[in-house]
Amino acid sequence: MSNAVVIKGTTYGFSVFIDEQAEFSVISAEMQEKFKESARFFGNAKMAISFEGKHLTDEEQRQLLDVIAENSEVHIVCIIEHNSEAEEMHKRSLEERLQALDSSNGQFYKGNLRSGQVLETETSIIIIGDVNQGATVTSKGNIIVLGTLLGNVYAGAGGNQNAFVLALELDPVQIRIADTIARAPDKVGKMLWKREKEKNKEPKIAFRSGDNIFIEPVSRTVLNDIKL
């Protein structure tokens, strides 16, 4: 194998050094071979990439990204133009791109949250358990509780007005979605609310519409209207 392509890892991705005299067909073939050999090492990491040495057109860069995708599980989230601050640019660009990706992804938490516990996440969160009164969950995305929700929840903490809160049993002290807040009824209203709730325990979803937060039973119609 020639050294038309040299791959060097960085903290937030890798740089591909390309021989300025190499033909593109040679570059493409060598990229294919090297990424295929290194697929297990890289895994399915999300990385930034920079191309150095030979100037590549946008189309040539796109073709090389296709070669990487076809011969490894690496996810290239951004391309960095090389300069003396490339390492820092890798970091900033990758973090910004990952934050954007996180808004459409999520994570799981298994267990009950007790009074005083706080769970904060940059992504949507699915909690397999109960959120008891006095516990707090904050997410920049959506909050889904596969259990009873009695504590405080703050969805769309990054300003996402389309975020929602869903629980198998929804009876929180306070719900906040973006900049809109809804609180539980006062003592008298709470008694009436509790009686009504006990009559009809079913999964419910809280979502923002206008300047208000609405709580409705989960239905196919409501789910189809959700904006992710």
Side-chain angles (χ1 to χ4, degrees), residues 50-205:
S50 67
F51 295 105
E52 303 175 32
K54 185 181 180 67
H55 173 73
L56 300 174
T57 65
D58 291 343
E59 175 61 21
E60 288 173 334
Q61 289 187 4
R62 187 194 63 77
Q63 291 183 32
L64 293 183
L65 293 182
D66 288 342
V67 169
I68 295 173
E70 292 168 1
N71 293 278
S72 71
E73 295 183 0
V74 172
H75 300 278
I76 302 299
V77 297
C78 57
I79 300 175
I80 305 300
E81 296 296 331
H82 178 66
N83 58 36
S84 60
E85 298 179 348
E87 185 83 3
E88 182 61 26
M89 291 178 67
H90 271 67
K91 176 182 177 180
R92 290 199 304 268
S93 297
L94 182 59
E95 288 177 346
E96 289 172 2
R97 181 58 180 154
L98 288 178
Q99 184 173 359
L101 290 173
D102 281 343
S103 65
S104 61
N105 298 327
Q107 57 181 293
F108 288 86
Y109 176 90
K110 186 175 182 180
N112 298 323
L113 292 177
R114 301 184 300 276
S115 178
Q117 289 188 299
V118 176
L119 177 62
E120 297 182 354
T121 174
E122 295 288 315
T123 70
S124 295
I125 182 74
I126 299 173
I127 299 171
I128 305 174
D130 299 331
V131 179
N132 292 305
Q133 190 167 353
T136 301
V137 180
T138 300
S139 167
K140 287 188 176 180
N142 308 306
I143 298 173
I144 298 174
V145 180
L146 301 182
T148 300
L149 172 54
L150 301 175
N152 301 306
V153 285
Y154 181 9
N160 180 9
Q161 298 180 357
N162 292 322
F164 62 86
V165 177
L166 186 151
L168 298 184
E169 187 173 347
L170 185 62
D171 187 22
V173 173
Q174 176 179 290
I175 292 180
R176 179 174 178 178
I177 298 176
D179 57 355
T180 302
I181 299 174
R183 293 183 174 86
D186 56 23
K187 290 184 179 180
V188 175
K190 188 72 173 178
M191 292 176 63
L192 297 175
W193 168 258
K194 184 176 180 180
R195 292 173 189 168
E196 181 63 27
K197 179 175 70 71
E198 289 178 345
K199 291 179 183 177
N200 189 22
K201 288 185 178 181
E202 59 183 337
K204 288 187 173 65
I205 185 171

